[in-house]
PDB file of all heavy atoms in Angstrom:
ATOM      1  N   LYS A 269     -24.777  -8.583 -26.727  1.00 94.00           N
ATOM      2  CA  LYS A 269     -25.457  -9.534 -27.588  1.00 94.00           C
ATOM      3  C   LYS A 269     -25.210  -9.115 -29.040  1.00 94.00           C
ATOM      4  O   LYS A 269     -26.029  -8.359 -29.579  1.00 94.00           O
ATOM      5  CB  LYS A 269     -26.967  -9.604 -27.213  1.00 94.00           C
ATOM      6  CG  LYS A 269     -27.246 -10.109 -25.775  1.00 94.00           C
ATOM      7  CD  LYS A 269     -28.737 -10.020 -25.525  1.00 94.00           C
ATOM      8  CE  LYS A 269     -28.952 -10.520 -24.106  1.00 94.00           C
ATOM      9  NZ  LYS A 269     -30.408 -10.466 -23.717  1.00 94.00           N
ATOM     10  N   PRO A 270     -24.181  -9.633 -29.613  1.00 94.00           N
ATOM     11  CA  PRO A 270     -23.856  -9.161 -30.997  1.00 94.00           C
ATOM     12  C   PRO A 270     -24.996  -9.445 -31.997  1.00 94.00           C
ATOM     13  O   PRO A 270     -25.679 -10.441 -31.825  1.00 94.00           O
ATOM     14  CB  PRO A 270     -22.584  -9.981 -31.336  1.00 94.00           C
ATOM     15  CG  PRO A 270     -22.044 -10.364 -29.990  1.00 94.00           C
ATOM     16  CD  PRO A 270     -23.185 -10.528 -29.091  1.00 94.00           C
ATOM     17  N   SER A 271     -25.031  -8.617 -32.961  1.00 91.00           N
ATOM     18  CA  SER A 271     -26.219  -8.678 -33.945  1.00 91.00           C
ATOM     19  C   SER A 271     -25.945  -9.671 -35.080  1.00 91.00           C
ATOM     20  O   SER A 271     -26.862  -9.984 -35.874  1.00 91.00           O
ATOM     21  CB  SER A 271     -26.516  -7.307 -34.534  1.00 91.00           C
ATOM     22  OG  SER A 271     -25.360  -6.761 -35.138  1.00 91.00           O
ATOM     23  N   ASN A 272     -24.705 -10.099 -35.254  1.00 90.00           N
ATOM     24  CA  ASN A 272     -24.438 -11.084 -36.376  1.00 90.00           C
ATOM     25  C   ASN A 272     -23.259 -11.988 -36.004  1.00 90.00           C
ATOM     26  O   ASN A 272     -22.598 -11.847 -34.942  1.00 90.00           O
ATOM     27  CB  ASN A 272     -24.153 -10.375 -37.671  1.00 90.00           C
ATOM     28  CG  ASN A 272     -22.938  -9.389 -37.537  1.00 90.00           C
ATOM     29  OD1 ASN A 272     -21.884  -9.719 -37.091  1.00 90.00           O
ATOM     30  ND2 ASN A 272     -23.185  -8.095 -37.858  1.00 90.00           N
ATOM     31  N   ILE A 273     -23.035 -12.991 -36.820  1.00 86.00           N
ATOM     32  CA  ILE A 273     -22.034 -13.977 -36.541  1.00 86.00           C
ATOM     33  C   ILE A 273     -20.643 -13.477 -36.424  1.00 86.00           C
ATOM     34  O   ILE A 273     -19.836 -13.870 -35.564  1.00 86.00           O
ATOM     35  CB  ILE A 273     -22.090 -15.120 -37.650  1.00 86.00           C
ATOM     36  CG1 ILE A 273     -23.404 -15.859 -37.497  1.00 86.00           C
ATOM     37  CG2 ILE A 273     -20.920 -16.016 -37.476  1.00 86.00           C
ATOM     38  CD1 ILE A 273     -23.607 -16.964 -38.610  1.00 86.00           C
ATOM     39  N   ILE A 274     -20.281 -12.487 -37.345  1.00 88.00           N
ATOM     40  CA  ILE A 274     -18.984 -11.939 -37.315  1.00 88.00           C
ATOM     41  C   ILE A 274     -18.675 -11.146 -36.046  1.00 88.00           C
ATOM     42  O   ILE A 274     -17.630 -11.340 -35.414  1.00 88.00           O
ATOM     43  CB  ILE A 274     -18.837 -10.903 -38.513  1.00 88.00           C
ATOM     44  CG1 ILE A 274     -19.087 -11.641 -39.856  1.00 88.00           C
ATOM     45  CG2 ILE A 274     -17.469 -10.293 -38.471  1.00 88.00           C
ATOM     46  CD1 ILE A 274     -18.089 -12.749 -40.130  1.00 88.00           C
ATOM     47  N   LYS A 275     -19.686 -10.403 -35.551  1.00 92.00           N
ATOM     48  CA  LYS A 275     -19.478  -9.615 -34.281  1.00 92.00           C
ATOM     49  C   LYS A 275     -19.439 -10.562 -33.160  1.00 92.00           C
ATOM     50  O   LYS A 275     -18.639 -10.384 -32.163  1.00 92.00           O
ATOM     51  CB  LYS A 275     -20.613  -8.652 -34.114  1.00 92.00           C
ATOM     52  CG  LYS A 275     -20.482  -7.504 -35.133  1.00 92.00           C
ATOM     53  CD  LYS A 275     -21.691  -6.475 -34.884  1.00 92.00           C
ATOM     54  CE  LYS A 275     -21.555  -5.325 -35.855  1.00 92.00           C
ATOM     55  NZ  LYS A 275     -22.664  -4.314 -35.695  1.00 92.00           N
ATOM     56  N   GLU A 276     -20.186 -11.657 -33.187  1.00 91.00           N
ATOM     57  CA  GLU A 276     -20.162 -12.714 -32.136  1.00 91.00           C
ATOM     58  C   GLU A 276     -18.830 -13.380 -32.072  1.00 91.00           C
ATOM     59  O   GLU A 276     -18.247 -13.568 -30.983  1.00 91.00           O
ATOM     60  CB  GLU A 276     -21.229 -13.721 -32.426  1.00 91.00           C
ATOM     61  CG  GLU A 276     -21.286 -14.920 -31.467  1.00 91.00           C
ATOM     62  CD  GLU A 276     -21.691 -14.460 -30.021  1.00 91.00           C
ATOM     63  OE1 GLU A 276     -22.559 -13.568 -29.901  1.00 91.00           O
ATOM     64  OE2 GLU A 276     -21.193 -15.045 -29.043  1.00 91.00           O
ATOM     65  N   LEU A 277     -18.189 -13.679 -33.173  1.00 88.00           N
ATOM     66  CA  LEU A 277     -16.922 -14.318 -33.282  1.00 88.00           C
ATOM     67  C   LEU A 277     -15.862 -13.328 -32.703  1.00 88.00           C
ATOM     68  O   LEU A 277     -14.972 -13.774 -32.023  1.00 88.00           O
ATOM     69  CB  LEU A 277     -16.550 -14.688 -34.715  1.00 88.00           C
ATOM     70  CG  LEU A 277     -15.238 -15.299 -34.946  1.00 88.00           C
ATOM     71  CD1 LEU A 277     -15.034 -16.488 -34.133  1.00 88.00           C
ATOM     72  CD2 LEU A 277     -14.957 -15.647 -36.406  1.00 88.00           C
ATOM     73  N   ARG A 278     -15.947 -12.021 -33.080  1.00 92.00           N
ATOM     74  CA  ARG A 278     -14.956 -11.055 -32.648  1.00 92.00           C
ATOM     75  C   ARG A 278     -15.050 -10.946 -31.084  1.00 92.00           C
ATOM     76  O   ARG A 278     -13.991 -10.954 -30.387  1.00 92.00           O
ATOM     77  CB  ARG A 278     -15.281  -9.667 -33.208  1.00 92.00           C
ATOM     78  CG  ARG A 278     -14.297  -8.595 -32.761  1.00 92.00           C
ATOM     79  CD  ARG A 278     -14.444  -7.352 -33.639  1.00 92.00           C
ATOM     80  NE  ARG A 278     -13.526  -6.336 -33.130  1.00 92.00           N
ATOM     81  CZ  ARG A 278     -13.874  -5.252 -32.381  1.00 92.00           C
ATOM     82  NH1 ARG A 278     -15.145  -5.191 -31.988  1.00 92.00           N
ATOM     83  NH2 ARG A 278     -13.012  -4.384 -32.011  1.00 92.00           N
ATOM     84  N   LYS A 279     -16.245 -10.983 -30.546  1.00 94.00           N
ATOM     85  CA  LYS A 279     -16.410 -10.837 -29.103  1.00 94.00           C
ATOM     86  C   LYS A 279     -15.766 -12.120 -28.405  1.00 94.00           C
ATOM     87  O   LYS A 279     -15.034 -11.953 -27.403  1.00 94.00           O
ATOM     88  CB  LYS A 279     -17.909 -10.806 -28.726  1.00 94.00           C
ATOM     89  CG  LYS A 279     -18.162 -10.848 -27.217  1.00 94.00           C
ATOM     90  CD  LYS A 279     -19.691 -11.056 -27.005  1.00 94.00           C
ATOM     91  CE  LYS A 279     -19.984 -11.428 -25.569  1.00 94.00           C
ATOM     92  NZ  LYS A 279     -21.439 -11.719 -25.367  1.00 94.00           N
ATOM     93  N   LYS A 280     -15.992 -13.290 -28.929  1.00 92.00           N
ATOM     94  CA  LYS A 280     -15.430 -14.480 -28.386  1.00 92.00           C
ATOM     95  C   LYS A 280     -13.868 -14.472 -28.418  1.00 92.00           C
ATOM     96  O   LYS A 280     -13.290 -14.929 -27.480  1.00 92.00           O
ATOM     97  CB  LYS A 280     -16.031 -15.747 -29.147  1.00 92.00           C
ATOM     98  CG  LYS A 280     -17.478 -15.993 -28.786  1.00 92.00           C
ATOM     99  CD  LYS A 280     -17.940 -17.235 -29.544  1.00 92.00           C
ATOM    100  CE  LYS A 280     -19.329 -17.561 -29.150  1.00 92.00           C
ATOM    101  NZ  LYS A 280     -19.848 -18.786 -29.814  1.00 92.00           N
ATOM    102  N   ILE A 281     -13.388 -13.954 -29.528  1.00 93.00           N
ATOM    103  CA  ILE A 281     -11.893 -13.919 -29.655  1.00 93.00           C
ATOM    104  C   ILE A 281     -11.317 -12.968 -28.603  1.00 93.00           C
ATOM    105  O   ILE A 281     -10.326 -13.299 -27.946  1.00 93.00           O
ATOM    106  CB  ILE A 281     -11.536 -13.447 -31.099  1.00 93.00           C
ATOM    107  CG1 ILE A 281     -11.794 -14.553 -32.090  1.00 93.00           C
ATOM    108  CG2 ILE A 281     -10.067 -13.067 -31.190  1.00 93.00           C
ATOM    109  CD1 ILE A 281     -11.664 -14.140 -33.572  1.00 93.00           C
ATOM    110  N   ILE A 282     -11.927 -11.785 -28.491  1.00 95.00           N
ATOM    111  CA  ILE A 282     -11.442 -10.836 -27.460  1.00 95.00           C
ATOM    112  C   ILE A 282     -11.482 -11.382 -26.040  1.00 95.00           C
ATOM    113  O   ILE A 282     -10.581 -11.264 -25.290  1.00 95.00           O
ATOM    114  CB  ILE A 282     -12.187  -9.531 -27.603  1.00 95.00           C
ATOM    115  CG1 ILE A 282     -11.842  -8.880 -28.906  1.00 95.00           C
ATOM    116  CG2 ILE A 282     -11.902  -8.541 -26.415  1.00 95.00           C
ATOM    117  CD1 ILE A 282     -12.625  -7.623 -29.320  1.00 95.00           C
ATOM    118  N   ILE A 283     -12.621 -11.955 -25.666  1.00 96.00           N
ATOM    119  CA  ILE A 283     -12.769 -12.596 -24.323  1.00 96.00           C
ATOM    120  C   ILE A 283     -11.802 -13.717 -24.140  1.00 96.00           C
ATOM    121  O   ILE A 283     -11.139 -13.813 -23.081  1.00 96.00           O
ATOM    122  CB  ILE A 283     -14.231 -13.060 -24.129  1.00 96.00           C
ATOM    123  CG1 ILE A 283     -15.144 -11.888 -24.007  1.00 96.00           C
ATOM    124  CG2 ILE A 283     -14.313 -14.011 -22.859  1.00 96.00           C
ATOM    125  CD1 ILE A 283     -16.642 -12.302 -23.901  1.00 96.00           C
ATOM    126  N   HIS A 284     -11.579 -14.552 -25.166  1.00 94.00           N
ATOM    127  CA  HIS A 284     -10.650 -15.641 -25.038  1.00 94.00           C
ATOM    128  C   HIS A 284      -9.237 -15.309 -24.906  1.00 94.00           C
ATOM    129  O   HIS A 284      -8.420 -15.920 -24.267  1.00 94.00           O
ATOM    130  CB  HIS A 284     -10.825 -16.599 -26.334  1.00 94.00           C
ATOM    131  CG  HIS A 284     -10.035 -17.852 -26.186  1.00 94.00           C
ATOM    132  ND1 HIS A 284     -10.546 -19.025 -25.459  1.00 94.00           N
ATOM    133  CD2 HIS A 284      -8.852 -18.224 -26.668  1.00 94.00           C
ATOM    134  CE1 HIS A 284      -9.641 -19.954 -25.547  1.00 94.00           C
ATOM    135  NE2 HIS A 284      -8.622 -19.513 -26.279  1.00 94.00           N
ATOM    136  N   SER A 285      -8.915 -14.139 -25.547  1.00 95.00           N
ATOM    137  CA  SER A 285      -7.479 -13.685 -25.517  1.00 95.00           C
ATOM    138  C   SER A 285      -7.193 -12.572 -24.486  1.00 95.00           C
ATOM    139  O   SER A 285      -6.034 -12.164 -24.360  1.00 95.00           O
ATOM    140  CB  SER A 285      -7.113 -13.113 -26.946  1.00 95.00           C
ATOM    141  OG  SER A 285      -7.937 -11.971 -27.226  1.00 95.00           O
ATOM    142  N   ALA A 286      -8.255 -12.257 -23.690  1.00 97.00           N
ATOM    143  CA  ALA A 286      -7.999 -11.228 -22.664  1.00 97.00           C
ATOM    144  C   ALA A 286      -7.241 -11.779 -21.497  1.00 97.00           C
ATOM    145  O   ALA A 286      -7.374 -12.903 -21.071  1.00 97.00           O
ATOM    146  CB  ALA A 286      -9.405 -10.760 -22.131  1.00 97.00           C
ATOM    147  N   LYS A 287      -6.352 -10.951 -21.011  1.00 97.00           N
ATOM    148  CA  LYS A 287      -5.553 -11.263 -19.862  1.00 97.00           C
ATOM    149  C   LYS A 287      -6.336 -11.239 -18.509  1.00 97.00           C
ATOM    150  O   LYS A 287      -6.074 -11.928 -17.659  1.00 97.00           O
ATOM    151  CB  LYS A 287      -4.271 -10.410 -19.862  1.00 97.00           C
ATOM    152  CG  LYS A 287      -3.174 -10.951 -18.814  1.00 97.00           C
ATOM    153  CD  LYS A 287      -1.836 -10.325 -18.998  1.00 97.00           C
ATOM    154  CE  LYS A 287      -0.859 -10.991 -18.220  1.00 97.00           C
ATOM    155  NZ  LYS A 287       0.528 -10.380 -18.378  1.00 97.00           N
ATOM    156  N   LEU A 288      -7.275 -10.238 -18.605  1.00 98.00           N
ATOM    157  CA  LEU A 288      -8.125 -10.022 -17.401  1.00 98.00           C
ATOM    158  C   LEU A 288      -9.560  -9.711 -17.818  1.00 98.00           C
ATOM    159  O   LEU A 288      -9.798  -8.961 -18.684  1.00 98.00           O
ATOM    160  CB  LEU A 288      -7.515  -8.890 -16.541  1.00 98.00           C
ATOM    161  CG  LEU A 288      -8.306  -8.411 -15.360  1.00 98.00           C
ATOM    162  CD1 LEU A 288      -8.377  -9.470 -14.303  1.00 98.00           C
ATOM    163  CD2 LEU A 288      -7.673  -7.140 -14.718  1.00 98.00           C
ATOM    164  N   ILE A 289     -10.543 -10.334 -17.010  1.00 98.00           N
ATOM    165  CA  ILE A 289     -11.923 -10.014 -17.164  1.00 98.00           C
ATOM    166  C   ILE A 289     -12.409  -9.472 -15.782  1.00 98.00           C
ATOM    167  O   ILE A 289     -12.142 -10.126 -14.788  1.00 98.00           O
ATOM    168  CB  ILE A 289     -12.762 -11.228 -17.602  1.00 98.00           C
ATOM    169  CG1 ILE A 289     -12.306 -11.734 -18.902  1.00 98.00           C
ATOM    170  CG2 ILE A 289     -14.229 -10.834 -17.606  1.00 98.00           C
ATOM    171  CD1 ILE A 289     -12.901 -13.059 -19.375  1.00 98.00           C
TER     172      ILE A 289
END
Side-chain angles (χ1 to χ4, degrees):
K269 298 178 180 179
S271 57
N272 58 54
I273 292 176
I274 300 300
K275 290 180 180 179
E276 176 68 33
L277 178 59
R278 181 169 178 258
K279 173 190 166 184
K280 288 181 177 179
I281 288 173
I282 289 170
I283 290 176
H284 188 81
S285 61
K287 195 163 187 180
L288 174 63
I289 298 171

